[in-house]
Amino acid sequence: MTQTIPIALTVNGRPRSAEVAAHHTLLEVLRDDLGLTGTKECCLVGECGACTVILDGRSVDSCLMLAVEADGADVLTVEGLATDGRLSPLQQAFLDKGGVQCGFCIPGQVMSAHALLAHTPHPTRAEVEEGLAGNLCRCACYEQIFEAVLSTAEAAAAADEEAGR
Amino acid sequence: MHAFAYERPATLAEALALMQAHGSAARLLAGGTDLIIRLRDGSARPSVVIDVKRIPELDPGIRVDAGRLVIGARTVMTDIAADAHVRRHFLALAEAASVVGSVQIRNRATLAGNICNASPAADTAPPLLVYDATVVAAGPDGTRRIPIDAFFVRSGVTTLVPGEIVTAIELPVPDGPLGAAHQRRTRRRGHDLASVTLSVAIGGSGTTRLAYGSVGPRPVLHVDGSGVLADASATAEAKARVFEAAFADASPSPRSMRAGPDYRLAMLRVLGARAVATALDRLAGE
Amino acid sequence: MSADGTGISPTRVGTSPNRVGGIGRVTGAQQYVADVRLPDALEVKLVTLGVAHARILSIDASAALAVPGVQAVFTAADLPRPVPRFGPQFVDRPVIATGETKYHGEPVAAVAAETKDAAEEAARLVRVAYEEIAPVVTIDDALAPGAELVQDPSIRPNDPLAGTNVLREHRFGWGDVDAEAATADVIVEGDYTFPMVTHFAIEPHAYIAAPDGDGIAVWSTIQHPNWLQRILSGVLGMPLSKVRVYAPDPGGGFGGKQHAKYEPLIAFMALRTGRPCRLVLSLEETFQAVRRTTTKVHVRHGLRTDGTIAFVDVRADYNIGAYADIADRVVAKGSYPAAGPYRVPAVRILSRSVLTHTVPATAFRGFGNPQVNWAVESNLDEAARALGIDRLEVRLRNVARTGDTLNPVDTRCDGEWDQSVRKAAEMIGWGRPLPAGHGRGIALGIKSGPTTGLSYSTVRLLSDGSVIVLAGTSDMGQGARTVFAQIASTELGVPLDRIAVVMGDTSIVPYDQQTSASRSTVLMGNAVLSACRDVQARLRAMAAKLHGIDEAAIEVAGGVVRLPDREIGVMDVLKPGLGRMGGEVIGNGMARKDAEPDHPLSGSAAFFEFNCTAIETAVDEETGDVTIVKHVTVSDVGKALNPLQVRMQDEGAAIQGLGHTLMEHYIYDDAGRIRNLGAIDYRIPTSMDLPLHMESAVVENEDGPGPYGAKGMSEGALLCVASAVGAAVRDATGAELHDLPLTPEVVWRALRERDRRRAEEVAR
């Protein structure tokens, strides 16, 4: 018999509660129970990163954790990046630099890049390569994705300088 | 994924009681980066999954205590790779932890989980062997300290007895200069399971500890007291003789799809030489 | 600022606006098939056997049906008799396995249940009794005397090859190869193999079918919705008008989503259960659904001392798997340009489609050409070496110039290809000194564009001046939406944010033959262009009526209406022209390339895709590691309608090509099972596997048949990646390479073989 467990978590800043099956992954609950289909399903073995979300500040493959493990956690998905209908600078840079082709890997790429910049605001190219290595892009617009991430970091640094920070 | 019951013990005692109650029907869930894959592909079909992440006794954290570095069982690879103590005293472990999977994996995968899976290819096993780590395990009869070399049996099997839970891994802080390095072979530069892993640690006294994995049922430790590997002026022939002895226990499977046995054996020698060279450089810089 | 002072400008071709549809892709709002949720849908799980080839004795579904929530366990017994078959080229693939399975992963049953969990649990409980039969897995297995036949000979009566595993033989050529061989100064030959690789689109294939009144609606990750509609209409016996195919933008196609796979099965299940049925494949299941043809090629080049090519003689066997899908067309079209983009007086090509008990192969970016290119370009290097001529020089000496004859019965050389070659050579620094352990390679690739084609488009100019473009292309990442919007923007003077491009609904969008062969910019682009011109003509008529002047005195272009005495805007005509009732101006366009029955491919190339790739590598002699120090790719694109998208396509194709070059391959066991299903042991390039430097460039002479002189592009940069990398490794090390992928271990073995050879030479 399927055991269901009540969980409460914060998703994209909103408190959410759900009655989840013990054996369902966070990915399944986000997509099927909470209707957040921006997070994508591909390899289900933690290799492709299409399901990347940010859990308590760290990027994780949502296919490799049970939803019940996220009880009490703060989860950020791709749907939570834009605010008031405005794209985040990173999302905008992905469009401006041509980091998006078919788009299926992009929610994961953007989340990994978001986490990378949160921890390493001024990454080198090597750090970007390493930071995004867990997100496969078969269209292979890696070069453009790097440009998007690096230019977002540069723009943030320039804005900080401008503001005297 | 098949249905199972989920338990989230709040104390070690509760967890041990659950392990007693469910026996082999239970599986421990730490980082989950291996277990969830196995639950999905059906190679593990427990009826109960016991999540150890809310047990304070297993808390993540790295601290130095009485000359030992104590790594809590739930410490994830990201934190091990970045930890100042680890980087200062146990660089080969930091190097190994930093190549386990992708960032997302390293944010979840724990050191304890990595060794409990006992995969011959586990990257963290060779450095733990060269640093002479001890596994601390709690069981119904109390706590046991298992030398890491006595921990691995074969793929998926350790000397933990049913009902035991690893609570920490301890490494003795070296009392003198030590140069160490970790090397691996993979099929691409991006994250990959290694077809050969190898660590060395060379002490100021000239003793070299060398460990390697992914070339047999369990990782292997070889201690070279001859001083040859630590001697930058030793001849290639002399070093080759030491490597022959060190790698005598390598028995790579001909069935592996990751690399052929002859390639693996050849790479052991290449990685051995490279790791020794790097370790000697580091030792000289100490 | 626009000329009319509105502050909004058209986004013309030749510029790189942000991708149309891009916002949904970065916010997660984009709805792919797996994101479509229909109320009351049943989840489907396929039942497969752990063997390649087996006779099915019985299927016992009782335990599966007892799982709560299971609605149906569907097998061949639930289908009309004989079990319907389908396929784009041969009608050979059954809707579900009937009597036997022919490859590891062929479904023998399918479970429909209220939840995924129930479907998965029940699929595990379906008991299939079967008798395993030794499979033929390799080309050698299949061609061995007395080999088990993969296909029942009755499927192709009157075919003399029906009693063999050769589905078809293709012979192309011209001139007298034997006569040339008698006089050639050097003849060099070699054998080359290309691995079995899969598309690995990050979006796994997904299908939903739902009863829709007296018809059916089917959602699929398909590249060719109209072709799928035809296939479904055939197997279901429904008129086209009752089969509605929704094709949301695929999350990567690369050819793997061109043709129907499980849509007929899901459609039958939906009709049987009366409910929507939904099947989302796992990545592992996509490995068992689509792959590239793998090849063994023998190539022989004859050259004269001055470096001119005297003849090319190619025998290419392609392992196409258990059902033909479109693979025999891949074989024909992929081997046809085997002589390369060169002037060659005599060419002989024999290619064969070989059936085996492996995953049915299908189209994959490059369509059979990269396989042969690897052999032919590598062998040309060996010929240059034998003659002591520089490898770039031999290519420049032979590469065709505009108007030169390639194949005498086909389109002539349609580009200044030597410009691409010279550019690539310059970018890679050909001839300059290299560090020790480094090497360079250069290779040329050519591919026939579409040989037939038919695309319709409708462009609707709405009463407020905004525009809807209907175009049946699938935008799977190549950026077709953006390019079509740019064409409409250029022609009608409307900014991009006032243009919607509607695709992927066969009940609304006019017919498009297919999204393949890098055709859409040319064929659908021309259809959109002609639909815009039709709108312009209607505006001209409208203006003539309004102003009481002759239509011939009015010109409409780029959003401007030129009357004899002044220029006015489109809105100045549209508003009064439509009047108070509103309405719209509808333009229709079509682009067509007819078949040519006597042509060896049933049609000449609409254009050629041409690319030159140049590589610098560094090789680690101890480990066999290959580092791509620099990767240069130059394509002849006619005109880059969106330069950034062209760059993305070329660089993406280049990196995708590094996959089959360096790391990708299926590994089969002796029983014909794929051992490395899924993402753990099938490696594709990550962000850490890129060239240290990647540079792409284009040649633009506006000499293509598409809008504004564009040619098709997007496959070119993949065609000769392996050839250029292999040549660079050979140059760096002297090791001979014949088999891909060039994993460290493969290169290490080639280095040992080189050492052995050298030692032998010294001993002599």
Side-chain angles (χ1 to χ4, degrees), chain B residues 193-210:
Chain B
L193 296 167
S195 52
V196 183
T197 60
L198 183 145
S199 294
V200 296
I202 303 177
S205 65
T207 298
T208 297
R209 293 172 68 88
L210 183 152

Side-chain angles (χ1 to χ4, degrees), chain C residues 113-146:
Chain C
E114 302 292 346
T115 64
K116 270 194 294 191
D117 286 346
E120 274 169 28
E121 182 65 11
R124 229 171 43 83
L125 296 173
V126 173
R127 299 269 172 267
V128 182
Y130 61 88
E131 182 189 327
E132 189 172 353
I133 306 168
V136 297
V137 177
T138 65
I139 289 169
D140 290 343
D141 290 348
L143 299 180

